[in-house]
Amino acid sequence: MALLETTGLTARYGDFQALFGVDIALNQGETIAIIGANGAGKTTLMRSISGVLASEPEAVLFDGEKIGALPAPDIVARGIAMVPEGRKLFASLSVEENLLIGRYGRAVEGHWNLDTVYDLFPILRERRANPGTALSGGQQQMVAIGRALMSNPRVLLCDEISLGLAPVVIRDIYAAFPRIREAGASIVVVEQDIGQALKVADRVYCMMEGRITLTGAPATLTRETIHAAYFGH
Amino acid sequence: MTSALDTIIQGILLGGLYALFAAGLSLVFGIMRLVNLAHGDLIVLAAFLILVLVTALGLNPFVAALVAMPLMFAAGWALQYFLLNRTLGADILPPLLVTFGLSIVIQNGLLEGFTADSRRISAGGLESASLALGPVNVGVMPLLTLVSAIAVIIGLNQLFYRTSLGRAFRATSDDPVTAGLMGIRPKRIFATATGIAMVVVTIAALYLGTRANFDPTIGPARLIYAFEAVIIGGLGSLWGTLAGGIVIGIAQTFGAAINPEWQILAGHLAFLLVLLVRPRGLFPRAVD
Amino acid sequence: MTDTSLTPWKVETRTKASAISAIVAALLVLFAFAAPLFASRSVLQDLFFILTMLVLAQNWNLLAGYAGLVSVGQQAFVGFGAYAMFALVILAGLDPLAAIVLAGIASALLAVPTAFFLFRLQGAYFAIGSWVIAEVVRLALAQWKTLGGGTGTSLPREATRDMPALKFIGDLFGVKSSGAGDILTYWLTLLLAIATIFLVYRLLRSKQGLGLAAVRDNQEAARSVGVDARRMKTLVYLAAAFGTGLCGALIYVQKARISPDAAFSVVDWTAYVIFIVVIGGIGTIEGPIVGVIVFYLLQTLLADYGSWYLLILGLVGIATMLFAPRGLWGLFADRTGIQLFPVRRRLTGGPLSSTRKGGPHG
Ligand SMILES: Nc1ncnc2c1ncn2[C@@H]1O[C@H](COP(=O)(O)OP(=O)(O)O)[C@@H](O)[C@H]1O
Ligand SMILES: [Mg+2]
């Protein structure tokens, strides 16, 4: 049985339907990538899983439990943490406070704590007292990832962590992924950078207009099939 | 000369009371951008609660205030959770109109329960005690008020900047949706903030009720003083709020020294003057 | 946006209901003006009260419901208008009728400096700021010893008795001057209420009115299409001050006795007014009309219960805001689709179908 699974997941913003029956599965220890053009519904999928958007209870299963209708705080308490699109650091909090808030109100057991996050991203230790928003884009992204790790999640959702970052910075950030996996998290990355997605993921889902149009292991996908799944032609 | 000094010192001490009125208002606004028009009436409500505890149980007013604090916390928590949270959003009308309605409801509820008579909480002789500070005599209760105001501000700042709850307050204020992703429940955070504001309100009520007479209708005026202190100080700064309270206090004591009928008017005029020359207050925050 | 000579889009703000309601309204107005022929003095006094509250409510609704300026300090203008009228009658010996008009102008003039202060405050702070202003005006006028200071004063009897208008009405209806006074003040408020509704309606249907709605809904967007939000809001604020001051003067011509506490009462001139608008339906012209009727019924029903009355009114107001934020009229209009004063525009006609609603893109 998959660790995290969506079945027939739909989502709407008012009258506008953004997801039309999305089925994805994430197995224990796996990393999957969701790719797709702008507006395909990737962020909406992440929001639905993380509880920002409510769904039908049975549309999202985590460890066999129906979590589709649960609000975000209940989801993170169960072990699914999100690195939201655009990083969304708290402007009134320092770097260290941003990290600490990742485990708000819970005594969480596990590998990740302030020290191990600082070991993962040493630059953050130097900038721990700065306001989170005073950092460079790459450093902010590290804070956002560290903040999610602080809850020692079993599933880490990463929404477009490479957005707006220079290639070397992206490489640095993805260099942390093996250690995150080793520490026990299964990962969903949302990426527009297809090359990056194929490199990091065990399996890839391609989305278009609110639907999954292609699934497979990176080795089985060709440029042409991805192109077709991306743009519909 | 001593009389001018005396007037200034009395004004500073009075400012302590206004800062206490204002601290709760400032706290709630800072966290959820909610201005509670019933704030003054809640202070009066707390004063009646202390009065009841003092008269019915024969408690010392300070002990009564301690007993009232958890009750007021619970009332504030419930008020926010069940009523005011429903009004939060982009539209400013619902919170304003609901809290305005609440103000009218509390005033008239108190009128029904306690009549329009003036009341006073007896502090067992402490009201008339005074200390000689150099050339001026300072009342013990006014001094305690100012000391309490400073203690409340230090306490709130510690809470805000040194605790996990304070981090959650700031995070929720920045971005409630992302705060939810961290496991924070914004509705409960808001309820807790209002509960804490009601604890501060109870402290304010203790001094309101022991220093002067009060009746069910005086709440709106306290709201106005609190509001003026917050605006003069600059939104979001608790020390600024204390400074704002002191500005109003000094203006009032000077006004009263010239003509007792001018006390309140002088405070309002000082507020308008500050609004004229420093529209963002004396200590505006860089952000926001 | 489109060239009207090519595409016959028509901006239609009239509906069938509004055409019928125009006829009904005309009959109603005639009937209302004729009321002194058959109504008793106490009925006229009740109607006077209802109409003044309606005028205040329409003015507050214009401010809060359309311009987003939530004021809890409109008592400043009721009281100032009333005091200006008293001063002009007592000190300058003016005819009360002239004094009422000048009092409205005086209130609008007072609104110039107060706007200067208040518009530095946003949203909720505007609300409390407006209250501070009202307190300042009250406390300042309480210092005016010639008008009785804190205890207030009365209009001299001869000032109203010798009014030419009263003599005329007295002769016409064969009543004494006190009865003629009730008829005159009733007619004046009726006139004021109709004029207020008409002007608000015209304003909201005008281009500026559309701009106002845009300002309320989205200030940034409004600015981007060239609506000067600040100017619109200031204009509305001044207009509401004028209407409110005029109404205040009229109320106190009828009361003939003034004191700062009564003339600047936040409960009488603002709390009641807010509840009327909220319960009736904020942001519509119909709302205050419905609200004032409900308000009058509640007041008559609960007259003997003292503060319970206000307590219940407050609870009803809170419940309305929470569960039916568009008020009783909003509930009614949603169910029936009826609009008596259609100020929201609809596009009808066009090349695709003559009955299709909505713009060219759907
Ligand atoms: N808050 C929102 N309100 C309305 N529509 C939205 C909102 N967020 C996203 N959408 C729409 O939903 C669709 C999917 O958006 P999104 O999930 O953000 O796509 P992606 O992350 O793949 O770029 C888009 O058409 C977008 O315009
Ligand atoms: Mg996205």
Side-chain angles (χ1 to χ4, degrees), chain A residues 13 16 18 37-45 47 85 159-160 192:
Chain A
Y13 297 103
F16 176 78
N38 241 334
K42 308 179 295 295
T43 296
T44 306
L45 175 59
R47 286 192 189 135
E85 188 178 46
D159 195 351
E160 302 222 22
Q192 290 220 40

Side-chain angles (χ1 to χ4, degrees), chain C residues 326 329-338:
Chain C
R326 296 182 47 237
W329 182 259
L331 288 180
F332 174 77
D334 286 347
R335 300 254 184 311
T336 60
I338 290 177

Side-chain angles (χ1 to χ4, degrees), chain C residues 89 94-102 163 165 184 188 250 253:
Chain C
V89 171
L94 280 187
D95 184 290
L97 281 185
I100 290 172
V101 176
L102 289 175
M163 284 168 68
L184 178 65
L188 288 176
L250 201 46
V253 163

Side-chain angles (χ1 to χ4, degrees), chain B residues 17-278:
Chain B
L17 182 64
Y18 296 160
L20 278 178
F21 291 160
L25 193 72
S26 183
L27 177 78
V28 167
F29 179 80
I31 294 172
M32 61 196 106
R33 298 290 175 273
L34 173 83
V35 173
N36 186 347
L37 293 185
H39 185 75
D41 305 288
L42 287 162
I43 298 175
V44 176
L45 177 73
F48 273 102
L49 179 58
I50 295 173
L51 179 72
V52 166
L53 291 171
V54 168
T55 48
L57 304 180
L59 295 179
N60 172 290
F62 291 87
V63 178
L66 276 179
V67 175
M69 280 179 198
L71 299 176
M72 287 301 289
F73 178 91
W77 199 97
L79 174 69
Q80 183 68 43
Y81 196 79
F82 295 109
L83 185 68
L84 300 182
N85 274 343
R86 293 161 162 270
T87 68
L88 296 178
D91 191 355
I92 64 157
L93 267 172
L96 277 179
L97 299 184
V98 166
T99 56
F100 186 73
L102 188 66
S103 156
I104 299 289
V105 168
I106 293 174
Q107 273 177 53
N108 288 282
L110 288 175
L111 277 172
E112 273 306 318
F114 296 94
T115 74
D117 295 348
S118 269
R119 309 297 176 114
R120 181 123 183 206
I121 302 167
S122 161
L126 217 51
E127 326 52 341
S128 51
S130 68
L131 292 173
L133 278 188
V136 288
N137 262 331
V138 176
V140 168
M141 281 313 273
L143 196 61
L144 270 180
T145 314
L146 181 65
V147 170
S148 302
I150 293 172
V152 162
I153 290 173
I154 291 174
L156 288 179
N157 273 328
Q158 289 291 321
L159 173 76
F160 223 60
Y161 294 105
R162 296 275 176 275
T163 67
S164 154
L165 181 62
R167 282 197 291 276
F169 280 157
R170 283 178 286 145
T172 311
S173 163
D174 284 349
D175 179 351
V177 173
T178 307
L181 288 172
M182 304 299 123
I184 295 169
R185 295 170 202 275
K187 291 192 163 168
R188 292 194 194 170
I189 286 295
F190 291 159
T192 305
T194 303
I196 291 170
M198 286 306 114
V199 171
V200 178
V201 153
T202 312
I203 299 171
L206 170 68
Y207 294 111
L208 172 83
T210 48
R211 287 177 55 163
N213 289 343
F214 63 96
D215 67 67
T217 61
I218 66 161
R222 312 307 115 170
L223 166 74
I224 289 179
Y225 302 151
F227 158 78
E228 289 175 339
V230 171
I231 298 277
I232 291 177
L235 294 178
S237 153
L238 283 169
W239 289 115
T241 298
L242 178 62
I246 289 174
V247 168
I248 306 274
I250 291 178
Q252 286 194 357
T253 47
F254 267 101
I258 299 166
N259 177 347
E261 287 185 21
W262 293 354
Q263 175 178 348
I264 310 297
L265 190 58
H268 293 326
L269 292 179
F271 162 72
L272 292 179
L273 193 68
V274 173
L275 197 58
L276 192 66
V277 293
R278 295 288 295 265

Side-chain angles (χ1 to χ4, degrees), chain C residues 1-251:
Chain C
M1 135 185 123
T2 33
D3 185 345
T4 43
S5 64
L6 292 175
T7 43
W9 296 103
K10 197 169 86 181
V11 174
E12 190 180 291
T13 48
R14 270 178 196 286
T15 61
K16 202 169 269 170
S18 76
I20 297 170
S21 70
I23 298 169
V24 174
L27 289 175
L28 218 62
V29 166
L30 272 180
F31 183 74
F33 270 105
L37 287 174
F38 44 82
S40 71
R41 267 188 78 181
S42 79
V43 169
L44 284 188
Q45 282 168 1
D46 280 8
L47 286 173
F48 171 81
F49 171 70
I50 292 174
L51 288 169
T52 52
M53 293 314 278
L54 177 61
V55 171
L56 295 178
Q58 290 288 356
N59 277 290
W60 188 82
N61 187 36
L62 182 64
L63 271 181
Y66 288 103
L69 297 170
V70 185
S71 165
V72 287
Q74 289 309 94
Q75 68 274 20
F77 301 111
V78 172
F80 192 75
Y83 264 95
M85 183 273 295
F86 264 63
L88 290 166
V89 171
I90 294 176
L91 305 178
L94 280 187
D95 184 290
L97 281 185
I100 290 172
V101 176
L102 289 175
I105 294 170
S107 290
L109 288 178
L110 172 69
V112 174
T114 66
F116 180 74
F117 283 104
L118 278 183
F119 281 63
R120 296 171 167 236
L121 298 169
Q122 296 292 319
Y125 286 104
F126 177 93
I128 311 183
S130 68
W131 204 342
V132 174
I133 298 274
E135 283 297 285
V136 169
V137 180
R138 175 178 71 85
L139 291 165
L141 285 177
Q143 296 300 316
W144 197 353
K145 302 297 182 225
T146 17
L147 287 182
T151 46
T153 187
S154 298
L155 271 188
R157 280 196 58 77
E158 58 278 11
T160 42
R161 200 183 50 211
D162 299 342
M163 284 168 68
L166 280 198
K167 292 226 167 69
F168 175 74
I169 292 172
D171 294 344
L172 196 68
F173 288 88
V175 290
K176 287 207 284 283
S177 84
S178 52
D182 283 334
I183 295 174
L184 178 65
T185 49
Y186 166 73
W187 271 347
L188 288 176
T189 29
L190 182 60
L191 208 62
L192 180 59
I194 293 167
T196 305
I197 291 175
F198 178 75
L199 289 174
V200 170
Y201 184 51
R202 284 292 299 270
L203 173 71
L204 296 177
R205 276 170 58 107
S206 70
K207 210 173 142 215
Q208 281 83 7
L210 285 181
L212 201 57
V215 169
R216 181 188 51 178
D217 296 340
N218 187 337
Q219 219 169 113
E220 297 307 311
R223 190 167 309 138
S224 72
V225 298
V227 175
D228 184 345
R230 208 185 155 87
R231 196 167 146 261
M232 275 312 298
K233 288 187 174 194
T234 311
L235 273 176
V236 165
Y237 181 74
L238 295 182
F242 176 73
T244 305
L246 208 61
C247 192
L250 201 46
I251 292 170

